Amino acid sequence: MRILISLLQTLWFPVFTTAWSNDHPIVISGAGPASLMFAHRLLRSNDQCQIVIYEKRERPVRYSENVHAAASSRLMVGDNAFGFGLAQKSQRVLKKVPNLLEMVEAISQPTEFAPGAELRLVNRKEFCAELLHALENEFESSGRLKVHFEQCISNLDPYKNEVEVTDETQDIEPTRVPYSLLIGADGINSVVRSKLIEWGDIQCERYYSNVSWKALQLPKQPNMDAANTFFRYPKPFHKPHRFLKHDTGAIIPRFKDQYVMLNFRPIKCRDDSPFCACTPADLKTAIQRIHPNVTNFPSDEVLENFLEQKAGRESFMKLDKHVIEKRNIALIGDASNGMYSMLGQGCASALLQADKLADLLAENQQNLTFALSLYNEWSIQEGHAISDLNLLQHSLRQKFFPIKFVAGLQMMKIGKTLTFRPEVPYSEIYKRRKWVIRLSRLFWRRERQPAPTINSETKKLLTRQQ
């Protein structure tokens, strides 16, 4: 099929396709891991393109710079930042940029989450800061890269290849910026994706999981070794203690010498506080019952805020397209895929998308439309596969032991393939486990919760610009 498409492109499609243009820059919405990796890969392979990145949040600070400020104020570095694991699939992509993996390893915590399987846990902000530092060091002086923080793409023009950029620090009219290619990498609440849904260019299927989550940052523990601490509760295939009737989760190490307790709880519970804890003392007691070696806790004020904060929700999302060729728009990362965290592949999936899109654009510099169509075909297949594989979570939460047992065995096999055979595509893993995923989809349909395709905050932003 690909050979036939290539032949048609060569003979007929040039009349209808969009040629690569350097008159306007490639504009990227969002400065997360996916967009920064895409910029790394494309600027290295195409010495003519120009990239402009707009990010709503503040510029992330590198750990080596932030640690001094944190030490002076006695705060934990990256206190409120979300972290994730970098397994073999992620590391394969990082290795394509010289010295980048080594830079990231220097700010990540290695841990063995399964026998012989090492995972590097990294703070999201610090990870982005290292990617940005390497990117600007290499390309900023060339004039081909510009990165703007506290500025966001707030609207798209339906008739021209232009976006409106809003400065978050000033009360001024949005600036119109033309683009040759727009990359939507602005996360799960993507403005770019929301506009495409609003215009009817893409169809979105999105649902919440039937569990909520909370994450508590824990300080250094004198009786725990981070390299050997990846503690799940309750233990697999063990009957949980009564106080763990509703809660599941893990205590995970984080750089440097700190920990995170990630707790999941069904939304049917009236109280979304972990272990039904009402006070900091209750929470401390419950955590120590899970892992007696946890003896050092944040202040009671921090614990009270943790108990009072609203729990997060994981979402499942599929789009029928990741590319709109007529508008020269492509989506990557969380803007294109929504998946549970069970398999820990959110970051890896985003980096793989960024790498694939950059490669296809470099290989087809004279035919942008063809490159985007190939990316769309690949991204839909792989993105849908990894989103579906994470639905195994619904089988694991069933009370009927045979279903839970079979799902657990399949989960272990999937994890083994992801860890020790990172070259295997998600779509291939899905084909081998299709039967158990189909079973999981039955439970998912029964347990899923409706989720808006356009987030309320994004809807307000779009309404304000109209």
Side-chain angles (χ1 to χ4, degrees):
M1 177 61 72
R2 182 166 293 186
I3 295 174
L4 177 59
I5 293 175
S6 180
L7 181 61
L8 289 173
Q9 288 278 345
T10 303
L11 296 177
W12 298 103
F13 282 13
V15 178
F16 306 102
T17 55
T18 302
W20 187 274
S21 171
N22 292 315
D23 295 338
H24 301 304
I26 296 172
V27 173
I28 303 178
S29 179
S35 60
L36 295 174
M37 178 53 66
F38 171 79
H40 264 291
R41 299 284 290 118
L42 188 61
L43 288 170
R44 283 179 159 272
S45 57
N46 185 330
D47 58 6
Q48 299 298 317
C49 72
Q50 300 180 28
I51 291 179
V52 181
I53 303 175
Y54 295 99
E55 169 57 56
K56 183 177 182 179
R57 288 172 281 199
E58 296 179 350
R59 173 181 285 269
V61 181
R62 299 179 71 201
Y63 177 84
S64 58
E65 300 167 3
N66 200 21
V67 69
H68 301 298
S72 63
S73 60
R74 297 183 181 180
L75 296 174
M76 291 188 292
V77 177
D79 245 357
N80 300 316
F82 180 73
F84 42 64
L86 300 177
Q88 293 303 313
K89 280 186 178 289
S90 300
Q91 293 180 33
R92 280 166 60 89
V93 179
L94 294 176
K95 286 177 181 178
K96 295 186 178 183
V97 178
N99 303 318
L100 187 56
L101 178 59
E102 290 75 15
M103 292 174 64
V104 173
E105 285 178 340
I107 56 148
S108 63
Q109 175 63 57
T111 187
E112 192 173 89
F113 69 97
E118 185 184 81
L119 181 70
R120 303 201 74 90
L121 299 159
V122 64
N123 178 287
R124 184 188 185 279
K125 288 182 179 178
E126 291 158 13
F127 181 41
C128 290
E130 292 301 315
L131 290 173
L132 179 64
H133 176 74
L135 186 63
E136 291 183 327
N137 264 6
E138 186 168 358
F139 297 108
E140 189 174 33
S141 60
S142 68
R144 299 196 293 131
L145 172 70
K146 294 180 181 178
V147 186
H148 303 281
F149 288 93
E150 298 182 80
Q151 296 185 35
C152 69
I153 292 176
S154 55
N155 209 349
L156 282 66
D157 191 312
Y159 306 108
K160 303 177 184 177
N161 287 358
E162 290 184 354
V163 295
E164 291 184 4
V165 176
T166 299
D167 191 323
E168 297 290 311
T169 63
Q170 302 181 57
D171 187 16
I172 59 176
E173 288 294 313
T175 304
R176 296 183 71 88
V177 178
Y179 64 83
S180 61
L181 172 64
L182 174 62
I183 305 296
D186 43 349
I188 193 64
N189 298 319
S190 169
V191 170
V192 177
R193 185 190 67 238
S194 297
K195 289 302 294 186
L196 297 177
I197 293 173
E198 181 184 316
W199 294 336
D201 289 334
I202 58 176
Q203 300 298 314
C204 178
E205 176 189 22
R206 188 178 182 217
Y207 295 93
Y208 286 131
S209 167
N210 62 332
V211 297
S212 61
W213 64 270
K214 282 189 176 184
L216 175 65
Q217 314 290 344
L218 297 172
K220 184 176 181 178
Q221 303 298 321
N223 300 319
M224 293 171 63
D225 178 12
N228 298 312
T229 302
F230 194 103
F231 182 80
R232 296 182 180 88
Y233 62 87
K235 293 181 179 180
F237 309 126
H238 285 67
K239 185 176 180 180
H241 192 278
R242 186 173 60 183
F243 87 102
L244 279 178
K245 182 179 180 181
H246 299 297
D247 296 88
T248 60
I251 295 176
I252 307 167
R254 58 173 285 189
F255 187 82
K256 183 178 185 187
D257 299 326
Q258 298 167 16
Y259 298 85
V260 177
M261 185 193 75
L262 183 60
N263 190 82
F264 294 92
R265 189 173 178 82
I267 59 171
K268 66 181 180 181
C269 297
R270 294 181 180 180
D271 184 1
D272 64 3
S273 295
F275 324 116
C276 296
C278 298
T279 66
D282 292 342
L283 184 59
K284 291 177 184 178
T285 300
I287 294 174
Q288 287 189 315
R289 291 178 72 179
I290 293 170
H291 202 310
N293 287 339
V294 178
T295 56
N296 197 7
F297 293 92
S299 67
D300 283 357
E301 182 182 358
V302 171
L303 295 179
E304 286 176 0
N305 290 336
F306 168 75
L307 292 173
E308 293 173 1
Q309 76 183 27
K310 186 178 179 181
R313 299 286 297 276
E314 290 191 311
S315 64
F316 169 95
M317 184 184 72
K318 279 185 178 180
L319 307 178
D320 65 334
K321 299 176 185 175
H322 292 174
V323 165
I324 304 298
E325 290 96 335
K326 67 180 181 181
R327 301 187 190 277
N328 287 5
I329 297 177
L331 301 175
I332 61 176
D334 288 342
S336 62
N337 292 316
M339 69 190 76
Y340 302 157
S341 62
M342 185 187 71
L343 293 174
Q345 294 297 304
C347 179
S349 174
L351 293 178
L352 287 167
Q353 283 182 305
D355 182 57
K356 186 68 172 183
L357 179 56
D359 279 347
L360 290 171
L361 290 173
E363 293 169 3
N364 300 275
Q365 295 186 23
Q366 302 305 316
N367 199 334
L368 177 59
T369 304
F370 184 45
L372 292 179
S373 67
L374 290 179
Y375 168 73
N376 185 64
E377 177 189 349
W378 175 89
S379 185
I380 288 291
Q381 177 176 274
E382 295 302 308
H384 286 191
I386 187 58
S387 293
D388 282 340
L389 284 169
N390 275 282
L391 293 180
L392 192 60
Q393 170 178 301
H394 290 272
S395 291
L396 287 168
R397 291 184 177 275
Q398 299 305 307
K399 293 182 179 180
F400 189 51
F401 182 77
I403 293 177
K404 181 181 291 190
F405 181 77
V406 170
L409 290 178
Q410 295 302 314
M411 167 71 174
M412 292 170 62
K413 291 179 179 179
I414 292 171
K416 186 175 181 180
T417 303
L418 291 171
T419 302
F420 299 107
R421 298 183 61 197
E423 72 283 356
V424 178
Y426 295 131
S427 54
E428 184 63 31
I429 300 174
Y430 172 78
K431 288 177 183 177
R432 297 174 186 174
R433 306 282 181 261
K434 188 180 292 186
W435 64 273
V436 73
I437 301 303
R438 286 177 175 172
L439 175 64
S440 299
R441 287 185 71 87
L442 296 176
F443 300 123
W444 169 70
R445 289 192 181 97
R446 186 181 67 188
E447 298 168 350
R448 67 190 183 185
Q449 304 290 317
T453 56
I454 301 179
N455 177 268
S456 57
E457 183 180 340
T458 306
K459 188 179 292 186
K460 288 179 182 178
L461 176 63
L462 294 174
T463 304
R464 189 176 67 193
Q465 296 301 327
Q466 289 175 350

